Amino acid sequence: MILTRTAPQFLFDFGSPNAYLSHLAIPAIEQRIGVKFEYVPILLGGIFKSTNNKSPAETLAGIKNKREFHAVETERFVKRFQVQPYVMNPFFPVNTLNLMRAAIAAQLEGVFETYVEAAFHHMWREPKKMDDPEIAAKALASSGLDAQKLFARAGEPEVKGRLIKNTEEAVARGAFGSPTFFVGNEMFFGKEQLREVEEMVSGK
């Protein structure tokens, strides 16, 4: 598989369970299309603030039948892509600022893929309070990462700046949440849109 100029981009924040499900579905899609996705860390809180958006937990509250439909939709996704459902994080919503900054640090340190896998795992497979620095450091260290080094780098101006840049550019391109996908200038929102992303990349 190769990462090309036209590679689909996956704009993600670890705080989104639907981003986690997308992450689980992507490897099989990559095998089918022969192209690797480009993972782009963004800060969902920053996108919400810039677009006056809110999380589904807030937007679905009090709306009859809509939350139930979203649950059915998720079941369909899990069956279609043959992935494991997420385990609801009991500490949700989790402030992901440090986790997302550390994702940028992981890119600079050359351990990005391992970090993404670990952070998603400890958020949505074996959920923990990942905005607690001690808990997060212990969890990431258990996955073979130098958590202290990554969190130290997460505080560097360059790292902070890159995350801000990613987030601002996402909003400028039309993003309002996560997961968001881009194929060139074409934007797709939500895990269900992965089918359309695959079709566009494969030319179907």
Side-chain angles (χ1 to χ4, degrees):
M1 286 186 293
I2 56 174
L3 180 63
T4 70
R5 284 186 177 182
T6 56
Q9 292 180 310
F10 171 37
L11 280 59
F12 73 97
D13 184 303
F14 296 119
S16 166
N18 288 323
Y20 169 68
L21 291 177
S22 300
H23 168 67
L24 295 183
I26 282 172
I29 297 174
E30 290 177 328
Q31 289 294 330
R32 289 193 293 270
I33 64 178
V35 177
K36 196 169 179 61
F37 278 64
E38 177 187 358
Y39 277 54
V40 181
I42 51 90
L43 185 62
L44 189 54
I47 285 185
F48 282 169
K49 185 176 181 180
S50 295
T51 60
N52 199 32
N53 195 8
K54 296 179 181 178
S55 72
E58 293 180 85
T59 59
L60 299 183
I63 301 178
K64 184 176 175 62
N65 297 330
K66 195 170 183 180
R67 187 184 295 275
E68 289 78 6
F69 170 73
H70 276 257
V72 171
E73 196 173 48
T74 295
E75 288 179 13
R76 290 172 182 160
F77 182 93
V78 166
K79 290 179 181 178
R80 179 182 302 116
F81 289 97
Q82 298 181 328
V83 297
Q84 289 186 318
Y86 61 83
V87 177
M88 189 60 198
N89 193 308
F91 305 102
F92 185 84
V94 174
N95 185 326
T96 58
L97 177 60
N98 285 332
L99 285 179
M100 299 316 301
R101 286 175 175 170
I104 301 291
Q107 287 181 320
L108 298 175
E109 290 291 326
V111 294
F112 184 59
E113 290 188 7
T114 301
Y115 178 83
V116 168
E117 193 67 39
F120 268 132
H121 177 85
H122 294 295
M123 275 289 297
W124 300 110
R125 174 82 342 235
E126 296 181 18
K128 301 170 181 67
K129 187 172 172 52
M130 294 296 284
D131 51 6
D132 182 311
E134 290 187 10
I135 292 174
K138 184 177 180 181
L140 295 171
S142 74
S143 295
L145 290 157
D146 187 340
Q148 298 298 336
K149 185 176 185 179
L150 291 174
F151 282 135
R153 289 212 69 177
E156 295 177 0
E158 178 190 2
V159 170
K160 292 180 179 179
R162 284 199 188 192
L163 182 60
I164 290 171
K165 185 173 183 286
N166 285 357
T167 303
E168 290 178 343
E169 287 182 349
V171 172
R173 296 174 72 189
F176 52 84
S178 175
T180 294
F181 307 93
F182 281 96
V183 180
N185 292 323
E186 292 285 336
M187 189 184 92
F188 303 85
F189 174 72
K191 64 185 184 298
E192 292 77 18
Q193 294 291 303
L194 272 171
R195 285 180 295 177
E196 282 70 22
V197 170
E198 180 174 353
E199 288 176 1
M200 177 166 280
V201 175
S202 60
K204 293 182 180 180

